[in-house]
Amino acid sequence: MLKYVVSLICVLFVLSGVFAIEDAEALLAPEPEYTKTETIQGKITSDYLKKGGGKVTIEYMPAYDEARFKYSCPTPLFEQSTAMLAIKECIESFVRERGYYFYTYLKPDDTYYDGGANTVIYTSYIKLLN
């Protein structure tokens, strides 16, 4: 009986050492840069959406797996449906390029009218999922 107790204690001791090494490696790993933001130009491929005169800019935060898709165009040419379709097209290509499988919207889209520059900025907030 004593042999079983001693062997059980030895096995537990070895296993705790293995898990302690894994935890130490996790602690020594470099932390992601939480303030890092990549700015990428979105790709609009549809001819119909290119005629809208807008362009899409992507602000990607890899540490949080989040992105902001900003569609901007002159105020007289702005149509929300065109902006939504252009952003959706850019999201689908961005998701495929970065190796994500799904995405979800974090909050409702924003529309900002800049009177001084005579432009509209339509923004979608996206959470990227594996």
Side-chain angles (χ1 to χ4, degrees):
M1 181 71 175
L2 184 64
K3 291 181 185 180
Y4 293 120
V5 172
V6 171
S7 60
L8 179 65
I9 291 173
C10 290
V11 168
L12 290 175
F13 184 72
V14 169
L15 288 176
S16 66
V18 169
F19 288 118
I21 291 172
E22 290 178 4
D23 291 340
E25 290 173 357
L27 291 174
L28 296 175
E31 282 194 36
E33 292 183 43
Y34 293 109
T35 58
K36 181 181 176 187
T37 302
E38 295 178 35
T39 303
I40 305 160
Q41 195 65 30
K43 299 174 186 172
I44 301 175
T45 56
S46 301
D47 292 330
Y48 169 72
L49 298 174
K50 286 181 182 178
K51 292 179 186 175
K55 56 185 173 181
V56 177
T57 306
I58 304 167
E59 294 177 359
Y60 173 57
M61 295 165 277
Y64 299 108
D65 292 328
E66 294 180 3
R68 290 185 203 128
F69 289 79
K70 294 184 175 187
Y71 176 85
S72 60
C73 75
T75 302
L77 301 176
F78 178 71
E79 289 184 17
Q80 186 172 350
S81 61
T82 306
M84 291 172 73
L85 289 172
I87 286 177
K88 184 177 180 185
E89 189 175 283
C90 290
I91 290 171
E92 290 171 355
S93 66
F94 183 78
V95 165
R96 270 186 266 120
E97 289 174 1
R98 296 294 173 136
Y100 292 102
Y101 296 106
F102 308 105
Y103 65 92
T104 184
Y105 291 90
L106 289 172
K107 65 180 192 173
D109 298 343
D110 290 335
T111 306
Y112 173 71
Y113 293 92
D114 187 1
N118 200 25
T119 59
V120 177
I121 300 171
Y122 184 82
T123 307
S124 288
Y125 303 91
I126 305 295
K127 175 72 174 173
L128 302 162
L129 306 169
N130 288 329

